[in-house]
Amino acid sequence: MKSNFNDKQIQILEVAETLFAEKGFDGTSIRNIAKVAKINIAMVSYYFGSKERLLESLIVYRTSDLKNQLENLLQEDLEPIDKINKLIELYINRINSNRGIYRILHFEFTSKKREQNLQAFSELKKGNLKSLETIIEEGQKKGIFRKDVIIPLIAPTILGTFFHFHMNKPFFENLLNLKTEDLYNNYIKTNLTKHIQQTIKALLIYES
Amino acid sequence: MKSNFNDKQIQILEVAETLFAEKGFDGTSIRNIAKVAKINIAMVSYYFGSKERLLESLIVYRTSDLKNQLENLLQEDLEPIDKINKLIELYINRINSNRGIYRILHFEFTSKKREQNLQAFSELKKGNLKSLETIIEEGQKKGIFRKDVIIPLIAPTILGTFFHFHMNKPFFENLLNLKTEDLYNNYIKTNLTKHIQQTIKALLIYES
DNA sequence: AACAAAACTAAACAAGTGTTTAATTTAAAC
DNA sequence: GTTTAAATTAAACACTTGTTTAGTTTTGTT
């Protein structure tokens, strides 16, 4: 699918992404965006209509291909537990390399202020949940996964663990001695991902 | 410990808590607070000095007694796994009935804008982690808990799961048919808490 | 009752907000 | 090369922001 945005729009969107992620939607002004993107302040209204619509465009711009990635994973010929592990890796990787937009989604679309624009985002989440459900039910049929787990709560455990870690970045950088950005990213890719995989595996396979 | 705030200050703090939680710090104006609290707009500056200092005061006002609760739990005569379960219950309960301030902490103190005020909050987190560590090491010594878990990542799993659930409240209300506030709260107290306890137990006890 | 400190108020302040306007420059089409 | 549309601009718009000021009212103390 070709992007519907031209170069200038993309330039604005990416500056907006950084600033919204850093200082929040309300904490970022159009003049702020314009200055960093080196454009005139009227260009935001010209291209996107309003600040609010700029945010909507940003979400469309960033979340359009996750669905495909998940569907491809479902088709792969793997054991359920390996699919789960791959799904976790996919999620963490994707969110971690698109921190900006996910931080924004996490922040802006949970406040009462913007409940309306929620629908597209909600559909995305429902689709993701469906994928997870398919994999787990597959494992349950095969007798590998326990059946008394609450599937919709597994997503919060996967994503919540990552987010809570990342939201407290300065705290964990200090605690775990992750002095450079590389060390921090590496810790996420190895230890944190492993921890989440280990947790979900234990939850799904453990028999009391 | 007697509160350092007088009635009027507490009145302002509680209105600020609700509004900050609903619309964020930047999304809430002093005039907004003043209107809801039915006070003059100058009173915020008069009592707290500034909007920023009002936020600081709010955090002090709300997070002063968690430490004691945790220390009492540590002293109780319980099996490690029961202590863990009780700790999870304590956390969820507490955060759930103080949603406002924890939402604010979660939102405002993870952005670059307010990294300075982070210290007191960081100390609180370190203390909490220490408590969790004590319990888990006790279980490991007794041979009940596995030893290859990364303890600092367990807190993100507990708190992150709850937060991610709560941050997506409208989504889960819809998905799980929790039409009233009571149903939603009850789901947290029973199913969500159970899910987290089950997850952590599986993680700590599971042997591959 | 007289005084002083605290509590409270309306008004003003300077600065910043998102958006619109009208004019100008650039690019594309013929 | 002229015409037409798109892109870009500086300036202005009306409004909101956090904070301060200079009073007034209330409260407590002697």
Side-chain angles (χ1 to χ4, degrees), chain B residues 1 28 57 98-99 122 128 137 156 176:
Chain B
M1 187 174 66
T28 306
S57 298
N98 287 279
R99 278 178 205 172
S122 176
N128 292 357
E137 279 168 359
L176 303 168

Side-chain angles (χ1 to χ4, degrees), chain A residues 114-132:
Chain A
R114 259 173 285 283
E115 262 189 20
Q116 353 136 5
N117 321 37
L118 189 131
Q119 199 157 0
F121 187 32
S122 177
E123 288 308 312
L124 179 74
K125 283 187 282 187
K126 266 192 187 146
N128 292 357
L129 181 55
K130 205 90 198 158
S131 303
L132 181 66

Side-chain angles (χ1 to χ4, degrees), chain A residues 22 103 106-107 110-111 125-126 129 146 153 157 159-161 164 167-168 174-175 187 195 198-199 202, chain B residues 22 103 106-107 110-111 125-126 129 146 148 153 157 160-161 164 167-168 174-175 195 198-199 202:
Chain A
E22 264 179 23
R103 192 186 191 99
H106 190 71
F107 273 45
T110 54
S111 70
K125 283 187 282 187
K126 266 192 187 146
L129 181 55
R146 59 194 291 178
L153 295 187
T157 296
L159 299 175
T161 302
H164 198 269
M167 292 286 141
N168 291 284
N174 176 48
L175 185 79
Y187 191 86
H195 164 79
Q198 185 184 24
T199 303
Chain B
E22 265 178 23
R103 192 184 190 101
H106 190 71
F107 273 46
T110 53
S111 69
K125 285 188 282 189
K126 266 193 188 145
L129 180 58
R146 62 194 289 179
D148 65 337
L153 296 186
T157 296
T161 301
H164 198 267
M167 292 288 141
N168 291 283
N174 176 49
L175 184 79
H195 164 79
Q198 188 184 19
T199 303

Side-chain angles (χ1 to χ4, degrees), chain A residues 3-16:
Chain A
S3 175
N4 299 313
F5 302 110
N6 63 38
D7 290 358
K8 204 103 217 175
Q9 283 177 303
I10 289 174
Q11 178 194 351
I12 298 172
L13 285 171
E14 296 193 339
V15 169

